[in-house]
Amino acid sequence: MRFGPYGGRYAPEILMEPLRDLADAYDAFRGDQQAQEELGSLLRRYAGRATPLYRCRNLGTETGSIICLKREDLLHGGAHKINNTLGQALLAKKSGRRRLIAETGAGQHGVATAMAGAVLGLEVEVFMGVVDMERQAPNVSRMELLGATVTPVRTGSKTLSDAVDEALRNWAATADDSHYLIGSCVGPDPFPRMVRDLQSVIGTELRAQSIAEEGRLPDAAVACVGGGSNAIGTFVPLLGDPVRLIGAEAGGRGLKPGDHGASLTCGSPGVLHGAYSSLLQDEEGRITPTHSISAGLDYPGVGPEHALLRDIGRAEYLPVTDAEAVAAFRLLSRKEGIIPALESAHAVAAALRLAEEMPEGSLITVTLSGRGDKDLQTITGGGA
Ligand SMILES: *Cc1c(COP(=O)(O)O)cnc(C)c1O
């Protein structure tokens, strides 16, 4: 399945059968009412859904616009990632798998996978670059406490991309009893659509809450874009509505190659990790290094559906610099008593920009993808 020219299944032959099996298992899972009810119950009673749509009392009021926050930061684990990991872990269990494999960079996805594995009684192995293991030692401890095995990856740059390669290699050898639980709407089909569907609970709730509590749809919905899962989950249920959809990308230190992670604003088409999408690459197709103050947005690719939404003009993507994100992080903390994840702070910054530009009385929603406790060191300790 493709999104216009994007997406697809660019994988070595050895992974084609596991991917086909997974696509079939996912179709069955979607149609299995009992499984869907079980997922709904886990999301409500374990993860803490529905999350509130909070209308800011102070943020942006001087602009005459109204800013509402979709509070994914209040979920178990402190971010939207649990929506995806619970869904895929349940799918794995229903399709007879007993083990989950995951890759992780900053460790957030590894922790969310370890939680889902623990609650559903599945073994978990998380692949993580040794450089990241050092930088993110507390998340390594969390994963281990939750019962997961963290396997160090020592190849290449010893970071996220190498961990993905290692996880895929492991999956090729173990697909009969293992599910590869990918962390965003990236990778070969069916991953992008599966992760999108699992994260669409964000936009579905947001849409209903906006109508019920604000009496109307938003004029604009903003979300940050790393791999793009919280953004696509926000956007898709609003695609048929007259709502501007805005993705905030990592503008880093500026838009020179190597200084940012703005793969939709600055990228060109190519294949990475199994899908055709918009990538940060040089003229020879080599992936260029990326930078963002937030680990979750520091990725040279993006989910293929975003590349299509950009091309057809249905969604807009704005780069937000590190400095703007830090300013928004501080401002939201001060004005509303909510410390956002640095990733989410990019969306807050973009919303503040829109609030200035849009007509008075505009209603802008921001998907607050996670909480900022993990980022205090970066903000106050200079550990970026
Ligand atoms: C992982 C993460 C992101 C980036 O992932 P997407 O797939 O782009 O949503 C954004 N915000 C938070 C809090 C995260 O943990």
Side-chain angles (χ1 to χ4, degrees), residues 26 29 35-36 38-49 75-77 79-94 100 109-122 179 181-183 194-195 198-199 201:
Y26 180 55
F29 180 72
Q36 293 304 314
E38 190 174 348
L39 177 58
S41 168
L42 279 166
L43 289 171
R44 273 195 314 280
R45 304 181 66 183
Y46 179 75
R49 303 213 72 90
L75 287 174
H76 180 48
H80 68 294
K81 289 192 162 72
I82 195 86
N83 301 325
N84 175 43
T85 59
L86 282 176
Q88 286 195 54
L90 189 61
L91 160 64
K93 193 169 169 133
K94 297 284 174 195
L100 302 175
H109 173 59
V111 171
T113 302
M115 287 170 172
V119 72
L120 289 170
L122 298 163
H179 172 70
L181 206 164
I182 208 162
M194 189 165 76
V195 176
L198 293 170
Q199 291 293 359
V201 65

Side-chain angles (χ1 to χ4, degrees), residues 288-356:
T288 43
T290 50
H291 162 81
S292 172
I293 192 170
S294 63
L297 304 189
D298 198 350
Y299 181 65
V302 67
E305 197 166 4
H306 284 294
L308 176 64
L309 293 177
R310 176 199 62 189
D311 284 6
I312 64 175
R314 181 62 190 90
E316 307 156 65
Y317 297 90
L318 308 176
V320 171
T321 65
D322 290 350
E324 288 174 289
V326 170
F329 177 98
R330 292 185 179 281
L331 193 67
L332 186 66
S333 303
R334 274 289 179 92
K335 290 247 178 185
E336 302 292 341
I338 297 170
I339 301 175
L342 269 172
E343 291 84 357
S344 322
H346 286 70
V348 174
L352 287 166
R353 228 191 277 166
L354 284 168
E356 296 280 352

Side-chain angles (χ1 to χ4, degrees), residues 78-81 108-109 183-185 195 199 224-232 295-297 306 341-344 368-371 374:
H80 68 294
K81 289 192 162 72
Q108 303 296 113
H109 173 59
S184 190
C185 52
V195 176
Q199 291 293 359
C224 66
V225 179
S229 69
N230 87 90
I232 205 73
L297 304 189
H306 284 294
L342 269 172
E343 291 84 357
S344 322
L368 210 67
S369 53
R371 66 174 183 232
K374 67 183 178 60

Side-chain angles (χ1 to χ4, degrees), residues 204-279:
T204 302
E205 283 178 13
L206 185 159
R207 190 178 185 286
Q209 289 167 323
S210 186
I211 292 168
E213 291 164 31
E214 296 297 330
R216 58 181 163 139
L217 286 167
D219 297 294
V222 188
C224 66
V225 179
S229 69
N230 87 90
I232 205 73
T234 301
F235 293 174
V236 161
L238 297 167
L239 279 179
D241 298 312
V243 178
R244 278 178 75 182
L245 304 174
I246 315 254
E249 293 199 280
R253 294 179 288 246
L255 294 184
K256 283 209 306 289
D259 278 352
H260 63 87
S263 36
L264 288 157
T265 305
C266 301
S268 55
V271 172
L272 177 68
H273 295 144
Y276 185 67
S277 187
S278 182
L279 316 178

